[in-house]
């Protein structure tokens, strides 16, 4: 069973940047697809980005394409989400998720989740 811990959230002005980290333990991190999701108050959890463990291919929601970058450092058991040009609508709790076989956009298909980190973007 994988344990995931996110960090790096905080308060930032619009146009600023943050880098989120997701540290995994418990299983072979390099063999897990990693997804980032976010949930704003009163809204459903939504897909942000994902990275495959098989070929490191990346996938992004249209709302963050060109602004966010997902990456992974398998030697450090860590995945990252670099967020640039942040907007107030990016405000949410951000979660990382992992799964050995699923790398898509549905949060229901990921087996393992972190506790989340708050990102607040002020206008």
């Amino acid at each position: 069973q994988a344990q995931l811990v996110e960090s790096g959230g905080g308060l930032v002005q619009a146009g600023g940047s943050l880098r989120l980290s997701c540290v995994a333990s418990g299983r072979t991190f390099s063999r897990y697809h990693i997804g980032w999701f976010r949930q704003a108050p009163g809204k459903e959890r939504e897909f942000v980005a994902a990275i495959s463990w098989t070929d490191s291919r990346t996938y992004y929601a249209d709302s963050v394409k060109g602004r966010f970058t997902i990456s992974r450092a398998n030697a450090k058991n860590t995945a990252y989400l670099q967020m640039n040009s942040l907007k107030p609508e990016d405000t949410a709790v951000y979660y990382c998720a992992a799964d050995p076989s699923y790398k898509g956009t549905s949060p229901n298909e990921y087996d393992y989740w972190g506790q989340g980190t708050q990102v607040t973007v002020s206008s």
Side-chain angles (χ1 to χ4, degrees):
Q1 181 171 340
Q3 291 84 40
L4 307 174
V5 178
E6 304 96 334
S7 63
L11 174 64
V12 64
Q13 288 188 332
S17 298
L18 284 174
R19 188 176 78 158
L20 306 184
S21 298
C22 172
V23 179
S25 61
R27 282 289 180 90
T28 306
F29 173 79
S30 62
R31 294 184 177 270
Y32 279 76
H33 304 301
I34 299 296
W36 283 97
F37 292 79
R38 65 187 182 187
Q39 189 166 19
K43 294 188 176 182
E44 294 187 350
R45 192 167 297 189
E46 65 173 1
F47 170 77
V48 175
I51 185 166
S52 167
W53 74 264
T54 54
D55 56 8
S56 292
R57 186 171 293 185
T58 57
Y59 309 86
Y60 295 96
D62 288 342
S63 59
V64 307
K65 203 170 292 184
R67 299 188 298 123
F68 290 11
T69 302
I70 188 172
S71 62
R72 64 192 300 159
N74 290 336
K76 297 182 178 180
N77 280 6
T78 302
Y80 303 97
L81 185 68
Q82 177 67 44
M83 306 186 296
N84 299 329
S85 302
L86 282 162
K87 305 175 181 179
E89 51 264 44
D90 294 319
T91 296
V93 177
Y94 283 71
Y95 300 87
C96 70
D99 196 273
S101 58
Y102 183 77
K103 57 183 176 181
T105 62
S106 173
N108 297 330
E109 300 296 329
Y110 284 82
D111 281 348
Y112 305 107
W113 290 85
Q115 83 290 347
T117 184
Q118 176 71 48
V119 171
T120 303
V121 184
S122 63
S123 56

